[in-house]
């Protein structure tokens, strides 16, 4: 993975910049320059790529974020925003000449209005703690990325994160009503409004998912929903992944609206059984389908789902009868990533495909896996076609990582060819930057970059990500490669 | 000018110095958007892909909304959002207007159901963004930017949309005789509980209406529970179906006097309702007010709310702030460098 050479002139001015930032923030501890301490920020959850930043700044308010960005802008210092550092695509990976603006201190709930069904928070607050803040009122915040315990709302907005329940409730952009955004020059703007509607163009819509390249979102107004009366999962086992895929399509067509449909294949089931012993059946593929409502409503939905599933001759249809059984059904799925990590190093992909293409794509992935000689396990949100093939490799074996990366790229290109896309929830970051040309033609990329030109004309904010390096080089003040 | 396809459209735009008015059916234009030469995209039409099992439909922008709704109905599906069905309306117009009816409260706006777009910029360049899958975070979401951009950034040529199964059962609960404050309070109560209320509004005749849908048994149970929950507001009447919501959905197209569209927080709605001078309707649980008013009337808006006069003379409140104005103008310049697309900012 290549990054542009850091600006040595900026690095040489580090102490002067740090002094200005300390003065602006009034708290010496809010600016970290000690190399031992900045090392903690050298990567995000894509830990294969590391680089300690120039320094780390931890503002506490929107005004402080604005002051920091104004100073960095004046000093010509690049900025990399960071929520909780859980990005799987290197979205908050630093460069040696960049100031990391971390949101960790910005975790306050600013307003709860159940009458307006919204909550206003600082964006360093973790996803799950937003729900915790409103649970006592009978509400929850719907988008639930798997990292929800740790990830920050600011990062969720940057990546437009989803989660297991987005089949019914949508992703971040569908639940974001407003945002306070600090632009690179320090200007502060309120985007969105009641029902998420702003004035003129949908600026909130384009900021959401822009991977921290258009501005730093310091506060967010989030839609909250009343908690459902209850929820119950079923586990459906099949003798073939193709049949499981066909069953997903049939459920979706039927008019029942599950809140989640999760898919696991045999390699993944085997690994999780060894890991946590969830008691999953011996099968080639399984689905976990969860529905919500009162008990009679759940029964009505599960009755229909059972009728549909029976058309596909399932090996087993396991309906939960208690909270404990529900937990066991979810246990294997929730442990899947950890379980795979025990048996092997792996790379987790994040492509999305039309649900109708599931059988074809699963079959083709198996072929590619065989050709390459690396195993692939599949666990994903089947309801929305967001696949997470896990490529197994040995990090200590020379050449394995390169083979793994090549197979990953092939699989993502396969997703695009099947009518899907390179990333459904993790983002492009540095990881899939060079693959962008597989999905978008030059005018498509040019138009996206033109949007960044408007928000951040000097390309100071989280540059050298999202767009292929050679394509963005002229805008980053570098000669095109 | 009526191009037959995307290439012709691009050539026309490249060869024009504007101002151009991009229209499909021309049914959703706001005051001030009538100027310029008409660039009629209604011949760029046809459904290009429909996969009911993937809940996805892709159509060219000039496709009549009615054709799309008929195709979906044949598979017992509908659009995942709810536009009003104006005669002659095209899907491109619906998308460019971000037309979003009562279902917006729960299922989201048109922009939330838009998965991908193709469009021609003011420079005559063909650009695509998004795709046809539910989850996509590959690059910037220009789809949202195009939704509701009212033809000022580019001419839409194709739109990928999320569809939804038609719910097997629908019911409407209605309450009568509530004042403004009680109206908002009743809707807020209904929307704060677990009943999964899909729509909530008040008709010009004063009836507060709440919509439930889903499997038949579930709708029946929830209707009963909701009636109970609202009994302090009176005895709710239960009807099957949701025809009352069509009145709400279509309210704005059946007026002839000046009409304001006001979006605000539900908690701000009651005081605003009390100052309205004429016939009006409430939607989105109190977050949307349609208000007929004499030409010289202007609403006194609570903080953070927005109002646009959509029939009559152009007016919009409040003025956007300087940074928003700069960003809006900057984007228009990038998408339309020669300023060929007309209309107000």
């Amino acid at each position: 993975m290549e990054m542009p050479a850091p600006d040595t002139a900026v690095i040489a001015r580090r102490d002067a910049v740090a002094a200005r930032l300390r003065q602006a923030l009034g708290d010496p501890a809010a600016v970290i320059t000690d190399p031992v301490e900045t090392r903690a920020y050298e990567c995000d959850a894509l830990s294969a790529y590391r680089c300690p930043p120039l320094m780390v700044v931890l503002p506490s308010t929107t005004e402080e974020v604005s002051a920091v960005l104004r100073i960095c802008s004046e000093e010509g210092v690049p900025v990399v925003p960071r929520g909780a550092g859980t990005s799987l695509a290197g979205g908050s990976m630093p460069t040696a000449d960049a100031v990391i603006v971390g949101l960790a201190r910005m975790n306050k709930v600013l307003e709860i209005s159940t009458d307006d069904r919204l909550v206003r928070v600082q964006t360093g607050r973790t996803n799950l703690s937003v729900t915790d803040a409103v649970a006592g009122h009978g509400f929850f915040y719907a988008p639930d990325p798997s990292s929800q315990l740790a990830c920050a709302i600011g990062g969720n907005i940057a990546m437009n994160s989803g989660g297991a329940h987005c089949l019914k409730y949508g992703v971040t952009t569908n639940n974001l009503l407003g945002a306070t955004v600090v632009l690179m020059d320090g200007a502060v703007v309120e985007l969105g409004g009641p029902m998420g509607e702003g004035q003129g163009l949908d600026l909130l819509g384009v900021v959401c998912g822009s991977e921290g390249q258009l501005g730093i979102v310091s506060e967010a107004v989030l839609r909250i929903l009343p908690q459902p009366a209850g929820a119950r999962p079923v586990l459906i086992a099949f003798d073939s992944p193709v049949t499981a895929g066909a069953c997903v399509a049939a459920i979706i067509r039927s008019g029942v609206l599950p809140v989640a449909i999760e898919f696991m294949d045999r390699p993944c089931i085997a690994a999780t059984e060894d890991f946590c012993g969830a008691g999953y059946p011996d099968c080639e593929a399984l689905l976990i389908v969860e529905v919500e409502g009162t008990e009679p409503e759940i029964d009505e939905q599960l009755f229909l789902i059972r009728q549909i599933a029976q058309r596909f001759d399932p090996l087993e249809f396991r309906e939960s009868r208690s909270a404990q059984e529900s937990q066991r059904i979810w246990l294997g799925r929730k442990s899947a990533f950890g379980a795979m990590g025990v048996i092997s190093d792996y790379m987790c992909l994040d492509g999305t495909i039309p649900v109708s293409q599931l059988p074809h794509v699963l079959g083709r992935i198996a072929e590619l896996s065989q050709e390459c000689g690396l195993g692939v396990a599949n666990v994903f949100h089947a309801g929305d076609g967001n696949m997470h093939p896990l490529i197994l490799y040995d990090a200590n074996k020379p050449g394995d990582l390169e083979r793994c990366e090549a197979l990953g790229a092939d699989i993502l290109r396969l997703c695009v060819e099947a009518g899907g896309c390179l990333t459904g929830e993790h983002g492009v970051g540095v990881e899939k930057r060079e693959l962008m040309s597989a999905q978008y033609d030059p005018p498509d990329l040019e138009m996206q970059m033109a949007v960044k030109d408007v928000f951040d004309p000097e390309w100071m904010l989280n540059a050298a990500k999202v767009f292929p390096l050679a394509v963005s080089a002229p805008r980053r003040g570098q000669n095109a490669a | 000018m009526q191009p037959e396809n995307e290439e012709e459209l691009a050539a026309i735009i490249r060869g024009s110095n504007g101002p151009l008015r991009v229209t499909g059916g021309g049914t959703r234009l706001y005051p001030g958007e009538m100027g310029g030469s008409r660039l009629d995209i209604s011949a760029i039409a046809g459904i290009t892909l429909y996969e009911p099992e993937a809940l996805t439909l892709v159509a060219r922008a000039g496709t009549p909304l009615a054709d799309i709704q008929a195709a979906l109905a044949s598979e017992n599906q509908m659009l995942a959002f709810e536009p009003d069905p104006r005669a002659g309306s095209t899907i491109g117009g619906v998308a460019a207007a971000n037309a979003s009816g009562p279902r917006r409260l729960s299922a989201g706006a048109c922009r939330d159901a838009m998965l991908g777009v193709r469009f021609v910029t003011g420079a005559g360049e063909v650009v695509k963004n998004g795709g046809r899958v539910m989850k996509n975070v590959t690059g910037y979401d220009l789809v949202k930017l195009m939704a509701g951009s009212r033809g000022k950034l580019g001419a839409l040529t194709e739109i990928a949309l999320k569809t939804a199964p038609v719910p097997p059962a629908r019911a409407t609960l209605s309450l009568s005789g509530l004042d403004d404050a009680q109206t908002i309070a009743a809707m807020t109560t209904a929307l704060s509980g677990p009943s999964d209320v899909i729509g909530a509004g008040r008709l010009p005749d004063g009836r507060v209406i709440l919509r439930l849908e889903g499997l038949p048994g579930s709708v029946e149970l929830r209707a009963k529970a909701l009636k109970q929950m609202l009994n302090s507001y009176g005895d709710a009447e239960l009807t099957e179906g949701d025809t009352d919501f069509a009145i709400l959905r279509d309210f704005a197209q059946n007026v002839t006097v000046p009409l304001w569209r006001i979006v605000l927080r539900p908690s701000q709605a009651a005081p605003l309702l009390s100052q309205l001078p004429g016939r009006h309707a409430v939607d989105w649980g109190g977050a949307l007010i349609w208000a007929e008013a004499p030409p010289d009337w202007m609403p006194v808006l609570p903080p953070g709310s927005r109002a646009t006069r959509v029939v009559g003379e152009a007016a919009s409140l409040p003025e956007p702030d300087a940074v928003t104005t700069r960003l809006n103008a900057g984007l228009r310049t990038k998408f339309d460098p020669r300023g060929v697309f007309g209309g107000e900012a």
Side-chain angles (χ1 to χ4, degrees), chain A residues 59-74:
Chain A
S60 299
T61 61
T62 297
E63 293 68 36
E64 288 187 3
V65 175
S66 166
V68 168
L69 291 194
R70 199 175 50 247
I71 290 168
C72 289
S73 180
E74 287 167 7

Side-chain angles (χ1 to χ4, degrees), chain B residues 86-311:
Chain B
R86 299 176 188 212
S89 178
T90 62
I91 195 65
V94 167
N98 190 28
S100 315
R103 181 178 297 273
R104 190 209 195 299
L105 180 61
S106 53
C110 176
R111 57 93 91 175
D112 294 290
M114 284 169 66
L115 304 173
V117 291
R118 289 177 67 90
F119 60 95
V120 180
T121 67
E125 194 92 60
V126 176
V127 171
K128 67 171 183 299
N129 189 262
R132 62 176 176 102
V133 289
M134 301 293 157
K135 277 166 86 182
N136 181 354
V137 294
T138 320
Y140 297 170
D141 193 351
L142 304 186
V143 178
K144 302 290 182 288
L145 211 47
M146 292 307 292
S149 63
R150 310 196 66 84
K152 290 169 183 124
L153 296 182
L156 287 166
T157 56
E158 190 174 85
I159 301 145
L161 294 155
K162 193 172 152 183
T163 69
V166 174
R170 286 176 171 171
T172 304
L173 274 184
S174 55
L175 289 156
S176 301
L178 306 189
D179 65 22
D180 294 336
Q182 288 170 325
T183 293
I184 301 299
M187 291 194 287
T188 301
T189 303
L191 292 166
S192 301
S195 302
D196 207 1
V197 173
I198 296 294
R202 186 173 75 182
L203 298 174
D205 69 9
R207 277 184 303 140
V208 172
I209 53 174
L210 302 163
R211 173 160 69 179
L212 295 171
E213 56 187 37
L215 300 176
S218 164
V219 168
E220 201 184 316
L221 283 167
R222 282 183 284 141
K224 217 178 273 177
L226 191 56
K227 231 176 135 155
Q228 181 69 34
M229 198 194 295
L230 294 172
N231 64 8
S232 63
Y233 298 97
D235 192 20
E237 190 190 334
L238 177 66
T239 46
E240 274 181 41
D242 59 356
T243 43
D244 283 337
F245 273 87
I247 302 172
L248 203 53
R249 182 192 65 196
D250 300 341
F251 180 79
Q253 57 173 317
N254 295 323
V255 299
T256 46
V257 298
L259 180 75
W260 284 87
R261 177 183 186 277
I262 305 167
V263 182
L264 71 180
R265 287 183 175 207
S267 62
Q268 300 169 326
L272 192 123
L273 287 169
S274 69
Q275 57 159 298
L276 298 182
R279 215 170 68 103
H280 57 269
V282 182
D283 201 349
W284 300 351
L288 172 66
I289 295 168
W290 298 106
E292 293 181 351
D296 56 352
W297 183 84
M298 298 284 257
V300 180
L301 290 179
S305 57
R306 320 244 189 267
T308 308
R309 190 153 46 200
V310 296
V311 176

Side-chain angles (χ1 to χ4, degrees), chain A residues 17 33 84 91 97 100 121 140 142 175 186 245 298 300 355 362 397 407 464:
Chain A
V17 175
T33 49
D97 57 359
I100 288 256
V121 298
F140 75 108
N175 292 278
I298 288 175
E300 189 180 23
V355 179
L362 285 170
K397 196 166 149 194
L407 176 59

Side-chain angles (χ1 to χ4, degrees), chain A residues 101-116:
Chain A
V101 176
L103 298 171
R105 292 184 174 191
M106 299 186 57
N107 58 7
K108 289 191 191 63
V109 174
L110 302 169
E111 181 192 357
I112 295 173
S113 172
T114 53
D115 282 357
D116 297 320

